[in-house]
Amino acid sequence: MKAVTWVVCGVVVFLVIRPFHTPDQLRKAMNADDVAGIARQLGIVAVEPASIYGAASEEGIVRYEPAYFAQIEPWDRVSILAHEIGHMKRHTRSQILADEYSGRLCRRNGASFLEATHLLRNERSTGRTAFERWSRVVAGGVGWLIG
């Protein structure tokens, strides 16, 4: 649990930030290759298989391609789902903001910097140019540092 204290207009505001679950529950779902279990642990209400590349979110539902998810590392699955949560929570289509949120959520759940940014560093679809790809890696890294 993380506690944050602010002083706003002379009033002390105390806020406790806690994860949705314990990291052990998330790791158990990751080890079992249980995408729905990972999604539940991250706070996603609905997740369903679809024939798309990677994952997408719309109206609170995250859709993912089971064949693609079967090929990638466990933390990459978490990173993708957290990225989609970033789109929904921040009400944005910005890939950079969603990547920053993904890095932050991965860190809060125990991912190392390399685990949190692995997919961003190695996936060609993260950007058309090297600049776009590395901008997204930096965003995920900043999120991890803020975590």
Side-chain angles (χ1 to χ4, degrees):
M1 238 186 284
K2 186 194 244 183
V4 179
T5 306
W6 289 310
V7 177
V8 181
C9 297
V11 177
V12 176
V13 178
F14 184 72
L15 176 67
V16 176
I17 302 169
R18 59 189 166 117
F20 299 109
H21 61 282
T22 64
D24 292 339
Q25 292 171 322
L26 178 64
R27 288 189 190 281
K28 193 181 294 183
M30 287 168 55
N31 291 337
D33 292 335
D34 178 14
V35 176
I38 294 170
R40 270 192 309 279
Q41 297 305 320
L42 293 175
I44 298 174
V45 176
V47 62
E48 61 185 40
S51 58
I52 58 172
Y53 181 75
S57 57
E58 183 181 332
E59 299 174 11
I61 299 172
V62 174
R63 291 173 178 80
Y64 70 98
E65 183 183 20
Y68 176 69
F69 268 54
Q71 298 170 7
I72 59 177
E73 299 293 321
W75 275 113
D76 292 346
R77 293 181 198 121
V78 173
S79 177
I80 290 171
L81 293 174
H83 173 93
E84 296 307 325
I85 293 172
H87 282 300
M88 290 186 284
K89 290 232 181 218
R90 297 218 168 134
H91 306 287
T92 182
R93 295 176 87 74
S94 168
Q95 299 300 316
I96 300 291
L97 291 175
D99 289 334
E100 184 270 330
Y101 189 86
S102 173
R104 184 180 297 201
L105 200 56
C106 286
R107 166 84 182 263
R108 288 182 184 168
N109 287 292
S112 71
F113 180 84
L114 294 177
E115 289 169 330
T117 60
H118 179 262
L119 190 68
L120 294 171
R121 288 181 288 113
N122 296 302
E123 185 68 33
R124 282 279 187 223
S125 67
T126 57
R128 289 180 287 266
T129 65
F131 177 77
E132 286 179 18
R133 188 166 71 246
W134 286 106
S135 296
R136 293 186 64 187
V137 171
V138 168
V142 167
W144 186 89
L145 289 171
I146 293 170

